Amino acid sequence: MMIIGVDYHPSFQTIAFLMEETGECGEQELNHSDGQAEKFYRDLKQRGISVRVGMEATGYSRWFERLLAELGFELWIGDPTEIKAKRIKKQKTDRKDAQLLLRLMRENNFPQIWVPSPENRDLRQLLWHRHRLVQMRTRIMNQLQALAMNDGYRWKKKLFSEQGRAQLEKIALGPWASRRRQELLELLDRMNPTIQELTAAVEREARKRPDVMRLMTHPGVGPLTALAYVLIIGTPTRFERGKQIGTYVGMIPSEDSSAHKQRLGHISKQGSSLLRFLLVEAAQAAARIHPDWRRRYIHLAMRRHKSIAKVAMGRKLGVRLYWMWRNGCEYSPSLEFGSYAGQLGTGYGVK
């Protein structure tokens, strides 16, 4: 068995390795562009050496993970924050990082994390692709609104109806402004069918999964939010408590407290920005259509601020979906805030 600690970069990787049987160890830098790294690992496979690779979670490494899976090598991916906390000296180089990873693997102290399957990752690309296209469409629509408002027309959503578009095209503009309007409308016409196609694909994938359909029974939660939640969380058994969902998604405030003084800052924004965005959007939808969620949202908004209340409701929705998923139950009014419907007693108050 060869144990390899890999400090991965997009263009190269620095490795520190150890042969358990012979005690042979060494360090090496492998380039990616000229195939040096791939050749190194394929040579190990041809020699019949079992390999365990440890690396931090990082981007642009999918090809490397696929290569190791093809060769049948074991791959451990670690939490970068916990690995950084285990660094003793304040000296950070590629060589020392690889040595640290190797040492943690040898001591069975490597902070290994859950890794999604290739199918899971591919479906996430569907969600991200649709999300980015919707953002691009929103920017285009905002530019068209600006063109209309500069000429004294403020139609809001009516601008994108058939009548509103006809009126927009009749506005007399200068040569370049007219060209900008025409090309923006053409881009909008091309993007709408694509977004509709991707939305239909999301709905099809959601119907294939009972867990997603169960989460969709909650007010405000549609196929996009439910599918993203299941794909990104992975499995509810990863978390012991619902409160850990807020930490994982990055919807809890950062804290720097000391000497009995509590200092809370903005939310940490750790984790998936897509899931964080969708939870807040779904919570706002629930507040619009459900009286209990609307009452809770208004109460928080009066105490603090609307933006804080929106994030707080999004976090509460994330915790609610976690318990629905873990307990295998659909939405019920008894799950609402402060509701004990269907229970014989609470154990509090006057007997």
Side-chain angles (χ1 to χ4, degrees), residues 281-293:
E281 290 289 313
Q284 293 182 66
R288 286 193 296 267
I289 64 177
H290 199 280
D292 289 327
W293 280 79

mmCIF file with all atom_site columns, all heavy atoms in Angstrom, residues 281-293:
data_model
loop_
_atom_site.group_PDB
_atom_site.id
_atom_site.type_symbol
_atom_site.label_atom_id
_atom_site.label_alt_id
_atom_site.label_comp_id
_atom_site.label_asym_id
_atom_site.label_entity_id
_atom_site.label_seq_id
_atom_site.pdbx_PDB_ins_code
_atom_site.Cartn_x
_atom_site.Cartn_y
_atom_site.Cartn_z
_atom_site.occupancy
_atom_site.B_iso_or_equiv
_atom_site.pdbx_formal_charge
_atom_site.auth_seq_id
_atom_site.auth_comp_id
_atom_site.auth_asym_id
_atom_site.auth_atom_id
_atom_site.pdbx_PDB_model_num
ATOM 1   N N   . GLU A 1 281 ? -35.886 32.026 -1.113 1.00 0.00 ? 281 GLU A N   1
ATOM 2   C CA  . GLU A 1 281 ? -36.982 32.260 -2.054 1.00 0.00 ? 281 GLU A CA  1
ATOM 3   C C   . GLU A 1 281 ? -38.202 31.426 -1.685 1.00 0.00 ? 281 GLU A C   1
ATOM 4   O O   . GLU A 1 281 ? -39.337 31.912 -1.727 1.00 0.00 ? 281 GLU A O   1
ATOM 5   C CB  . GLU A 1 281 ? -36.520 31.905 -3.470 1.00 0.00 ? 281 GLU A CB  1
ATOM 6   C CG  . GLU A 1 281 ? -35.488 32.864 -4.044 1.00 0.00 ? 281 GLU A CG  1
ATOM 7   C CD  . GLU A 1 281 ? -36.090 34.213 -4.371 1.00 0.00 ? 281 GLU A CD  1
ATOM 8   O OE1 . GLU A 1 281 ? -37.156 34.244 -5.000 1.00 0.00 ? 281 GLU A OE1 1
ATOM 9   O OE2 . GLU A 1 281 ? -35.499 35.236 -3.984 1.00 0.00 ? 281 GLU A OE2 1
ATOM 10  N N   . ALA A 1 282 ? -37.995 30.160 -1.317 1.00 0.00 ? 282 ALA A N   1
ATOM 11  C CA  . ALA A 1 282 ? -39.122 29.302 -0.949 1.00 0.00 ? 282 ALA A CA  1
ATOM 12  C C   . ALA A 1 282 ? -39.782 29.771 0.338  1.00 0.00 ? 282 ALA A C   1
ATOM 13  O O   . ALA A 1 282 ? -41.015 29.691 0.478  1.00 0.00 ? 282 ALA A O   1
ATOM 14  C CB  . ALA A 1 282 ? -38.641 27.858 -0.805 1.00 0.00 ? 282 ALA A CB  1
ATOM 15  N N   . ALA A 1 283 ? -38.984 30.260 1.288  1.00 0.00 ? 283 ALA A N   1
ATOM 16  C CA  . ALA A 1 283 ? -39.558 30.772 2.537  1.00 0.00 ? 283 ALA A CA  1
ATOM 17  C C   . ALA A 1 283 ? -40.419 32.003 2.280  1.00 0.00 ? 283 ALA A C   1
ATOM 18  O O   . ALA A 1 283 ? -41.471 32.184 2.902  1.00 0.00 ? 283 ALA A O   1
ATOM 19  C CB  . ALA A 1 283 ? -38.434 31.099 3.527  1.00 0.00 ? 283 ALA A CB  1
ATOM 20  N N   . GLN A 1 284 ? -39.995 32.877 1.361  1.00 0.00 ? 284 GLN A N   1
ATOM 21  C CA  . GLN A 1 284 ? -40.813 34.031 1.017  1.00 0.00 ? 284 GLN A CA  1
ATOM 22  C C   . GLN A 1 284 ? -42.116 33.605 0.345  1.00 0.00 ? 284 GLN A C   1
ATOM 23  O O   . GLN A 1 284 ? -43.183 34.189 0.581  1.00 0.00 ? 284 GLN A O   1
ATOM 24  C CB  . GLN A 1 284 ? -40.033 34.961 0.098  1.00 0.00 ? 284 GLN A CB  1
ATOM 25  C CG  . GLN A 1 284 ? -38.836 35.628 0.766  1.00 0.00 ? 284 GLN A CG  1
ATOM 26  C CD  . GLN A 1 284 ? -38.119 36.588 -0.148 1.00 0.00 ? 284 GLN A CD  1
ATOM 27  O OE1 . GLN A 1 284 ? -38.654 37.615 -0.549 1.00 0.00 ? 284 GLN A OE1 1
ATOM 28  N NE2 . GLN A 1 284 ? -36.896 36.244 -0.517 1.00 0.00 ? 284 GLN A NE2 1
ATOM 29  N N   . ALA A 1 285 ? -42.044 32.574 -0.506 1.00 0.00 ? 285 ALA A N   1
ATOM 30  C CA  . ALA A 1 285 ? -43.261 32.062 -1.128 1.00 0.00 ? 285 ALA A CA  1
ATOM 31  C C   . ALA A 1 285 ? -44.204 31.481 -0.078 1.00 0.00 ? 285 ALA A C   1
ATOM 32  O O   . ALA A 1 285 ? -45.426 31.680 -0.146 1.00 0.00 ? 285 ALA A O   1
ATOM 33  C CB  . ALA A 1 285 ? -42.911 31.010 -2.172 1.00 0.00 ? 285 ALA A CB  1
ATOM 34  N N   . ALA A 1 286 ? -43.652 30.762 0.908  1.00 0.00 ? 286 ALA A N   1
ATOM 35  C CA  . ALA A 1 286 ? -44.487 30.209 1.972  1.00 0.00 ? 286 ALA A CA  1
ATOM 36  C C   . ALA A 1 286 ? -45.132 31.321 2.797  1.00 0.00 ? 286 ALA A C   1
ATOM 37  O O   . ALA A 1 286 ? -46.295 31.207 3.209  1.00 0.00 ? 286 ALA A O   1
ATOM 38  C CB  . ALA A 1 286 ? -43.642 29.299 2.872  1.00 0.00 ? 286 ALA A CB  1
ATOM 39  N N   . ALA A 1 287 ? -44.386 32.411 3.026  1.00 0.00 ? 287 ALA A N   1
ATOM 40  C CA  . ALA A 1 287 ? -44.947 33.536 3.789  1.00 0.00 ? 287 ALA A CA  1
ATOM 41  C C   . ALA A 1 287 ? -46.072 34.233 3.035  1.00 0.00 ? 287 ALA A C   1
ATOM 42  O O   . ALA A 1 287 ? -46.960 34.835 3.657  1.00 0.00 ? 287 ALA A O   1
ATOM 43  C CB  . ALA A 1 287 ? -43.842 34.531 4.130  1.00 0.00 ? 287 ALA A CB  1
ATOM 44  N N   . ARG A 1 288 ? -46.055 34.156 1.721  1.00 0.00 ? 288 ARG A N   1
ATOM 45  C CA  . ARG A 1 288 ? -47.122 34.795 0.936  1.00 0.00 ? 288 ARG A CA  1
ATOM 46  C C   . ARG A 1 288 ? -48.404 33.971 0.925  1.00 0.00 ? 288 ARG A C   1
ATOM 47  O O   . ARG A 1 288 ? -49.498 34.536 0.845  1.00 0.00 ? 288 ARG A O   1
ATOM 48  C CB  . ARG A 1 288 ? -46.648 35.021 -0.499 1.00 0.00 ? 288 ARG A CB  1
ATOM 49  C CG  . ARG A 1 288 ? -45.643 36.146 -0.658 1.00 0.00 ? 288 ARG A CG  1
ATOM 50  C CD  . ARG A 1 288 ? -45.460 36.513 -2.113 1.00 0.00 ? 288 ARG A CD  1
ATOM 51  N NE  . ARG A 1 288 ? -44.900 35.410 -2.888 1.00 0.00 ? 288 ARG A NE  1
ATOM 52  C CZ  . ARG A 1 288 ? -43.603 35.247 -3.111 1.00 0.00 ? 288 ARG A CZ  1
ATOM 53  N NH1 . ARG A 1 288 ? -42.730 36.109 -2.594 1.00 0.00 ? 288 ARG A NH1 1
ATOM 54  N NH2 . ARG A 1 288 ? -43.155 34.228 -3.825 1.00 0.00 ? 288 ARG A NH2 1
ATOM 55  N N   . ILE A 1 289 ? -48.289 32.641 1.012  1.00 0.00 ? 289 ILE A N   1
ATOM 56  C CA  . ILE A 1 289 ? -49.461 31.800 0.819  1.00 0.00 ? 289 ILE A CA  1
ATOM 57  C C   . ILE A 1 289 ? -49.933 31.124 2.095  1.00 0.00 ? 289 ILE A C   1
ATOM 58  O O   . ILE A 1 289 ? -51.050 30.596 2.118  1.00 0.00 ? 289 ILE A O   1
ATOM 59  C CB  . ILE A 1 289 ? -49.177 30.720 -0.254 1.00 0.00 ? 289 ILE A CB  1
ATOM 60  C CG1 . ILE A 1 289 ? -48.072 29.767 0.222  1.00 0.00 ? 289 ILE A CG1 1
ATOM 61  C CG2 . ILE A 1 289 ? -48.811 31.362 -1.582 1.00 0.00 ? 289 ILE A CG2 1
ATOM 62  C CD1 . ILE A 1 289 ? -47.782 28.638 -0.751 1.00 0.00 ? 289 ILE A CD1 1
ATOM 63  N N   . HIS A 1 290 ? -49.118 31.118 3.141  1.00 0.00 ? 290 HIS A N   1
ATOM 64  C CA  . HIS A 1 290 ? -49.487 30.395 4.354  1.00 0.00 ? 290 HIS A CA  1
ATOM 65  C C   . HIS A 1 290 ? -49.583 31.371 5.523  1.00 0.00 ? 290 HIS A C   1
ATOM 66  O O   . HIS A 1 290 ? -48.646 32.111 5.804  1.00 0.00 ? 290 HIS A O   1
ATOM 67  C CB  . HIS A 1 290 ? -48.453 29.305 4.665  1.00 0.00 ? 290 HIS A CB  1
ATOM 68  C CG  . HIS A 1 290 ? -48.952 28.252 5.599  1.00 0.00 ? 290 HIS A CG  1
ATOM 69  N ND1 . HIS A 1 290 ? -49.007 28.441 6.962  1.00 0.00 ? 290 HIS A ND1 1
ATOM 70  C CD2 . HIS A 1 290 ? -49.450 27.010 5.370  1.00 0.00 ? 290 HIS A CD2 1
ATOM 71  C CE1 . HIS A 1 290 ? -49.484 27.361 7.532  1.00 0.00 ? 290 HIS A CE1 1
ATOM 72  N NE2 . HIS A 1 290 ? -49.768 26.475 6.598  1.00 0.00 ? 290 HIS A NE2 1
ATOM 73  N N   . PRO A 1 291 ? -50.712 31.390 6.233  1.00 0.00 ? 291 PRO A N   1
ATOM 74  C CA  . PRO A 1 291 ? -50.894 32.402 7.301  1.00 0.00 ? 291 PRO A CA  1
ATOM 75  C C   . PRO A 1 291 ? -49.905 32.260 8.449  1.00 0.00 ? 291 PRO A C   1
ATOM 76  O O   . PRO A 1 291 ? -49.452 33.276 8.990  1.00 0.00 ? 291 PRO A O   1
ATOM 77  C CB  . PRO A 1 291 ? -52.342 32.155 7.769  1.00 0.00 ? 291 PRO A CB  1
ATOM 78  C CG  . PRO A 1 291 ? -52.690 30.777 7.295  1.00 0.00 ? 291 PRO A CG  1
ATOM 79  C CD  . PRO A 1 291 ? -51.908 30.561 6.040  1.00 0.00 ? 291 PRO A CD  1
ATOM 80  N N   . ASP A 1 292 ? -49.555 31.034 8.842  1.00 0.00 ? 292 ASP A N   1
ATOM 81  C CA  . ASP A 1 292 ? -48.619 30.866 9.953  1.00 0.00 ? 292 ASP A CA  1
ATOM 82  C C   . ASP A 1 292 ? -47.227 31.378 9.585  1.00 0.00 ? 292 ASP A C   1
ATOM 83  O O   . ASP A 1 292 ? -46.554 32.029 10.394 1.00 0.00 ? 292 ASP A O   1
ATOM 84  C CB  . ASP A 1 292 ? -48.538 29.398 10.364 1.00 0.00 ? 292 ASP A CB  1
ATOM 85  C CG  . ASP A 1 292 ? -49.810 28.927 11.052 1.00 0.00 ? 292 ASP A CG  1
ATOM 86  O OD1 . ASP A 1 292 ? -50.425 29.750 11.736 1.00 0.00 ? 292 ASP A OD1 1
ATOM 87  O OD2 . ASP A 1 292 ? -50.185 27.751 10.889 1.00 0.00 ? 292 ASP A OD2 1
ATOM 88  N N   . TRP A 1 293 ? -46.791 31.079 8.365  1.00 0.00 ? 293 TRP A N   1
ATOM 89  C CA  . TRP A 1 293 ? -45.482 31.570 7.929  1.00 0.00 ? 293 TRP A CA  1
ATOM 90  C C   . TRP A 1 293 ? -45.497 33.086 7.756  1.00 0.00 ? 293 TRP A C   1
ATOM 91  O O   . TRP A 1 293 ? -44.518 33.757 8.063  1.00 0.00 ? 293 TRP A O   1
ATOM 92  C CB  . TRP A 1 293 ? -45.072 30.880 6.630  1.00 0.00 ? 293 TRP A CB  1
ATOM 93  C CG  . TRP A 1 293 ? -44.512 29.529 6.858  1.00 0.00 ? 293 TRP A CG  1
ATOM 94  C CD1 . TRP A 1 293 ? -45.193 28.376 7.098  1.00 0.00 ? 293 TRP A CD1 1
ATOM 95  C CD2 . TRP A 1 293 ? -43.121 29.181 6.936  1.00 0.00 ? 293 TRP A CD2 1
ATOM 96  N NE1 . TRP A 1 293 ? -44.323 27.333 7.300  1.00 0.00 ? 293 TRP A NE1 1
ATOM 97  C CE2 . TRP A 1 293 ? -43.043 27.792 7.201  1.00 0.00 ? 293 TRP A CE2 1
ATOM 98  C CE3 . TRP A 1 293 ? -41.947 29.905 6.780  1.00 0.00 ? 293 TRP A CE3 1
ATOM 99  C CZ2 . TRP A 1 293 ? -41.836 27.121 7.329  1.00 0.00 ? 293 TRP A CZ2 1
ATOM 100 C CZ3 . TRP A 1 293 ? -40.728 29.232 6.913  1.00 0.00 ? 293 TRP A CZ3 1
ATOM 101 C CH2 . TRP A 1 293 ? -40.683 27.864 7.191  1.00 0.00 ? 293 TRP A CH2 1
#
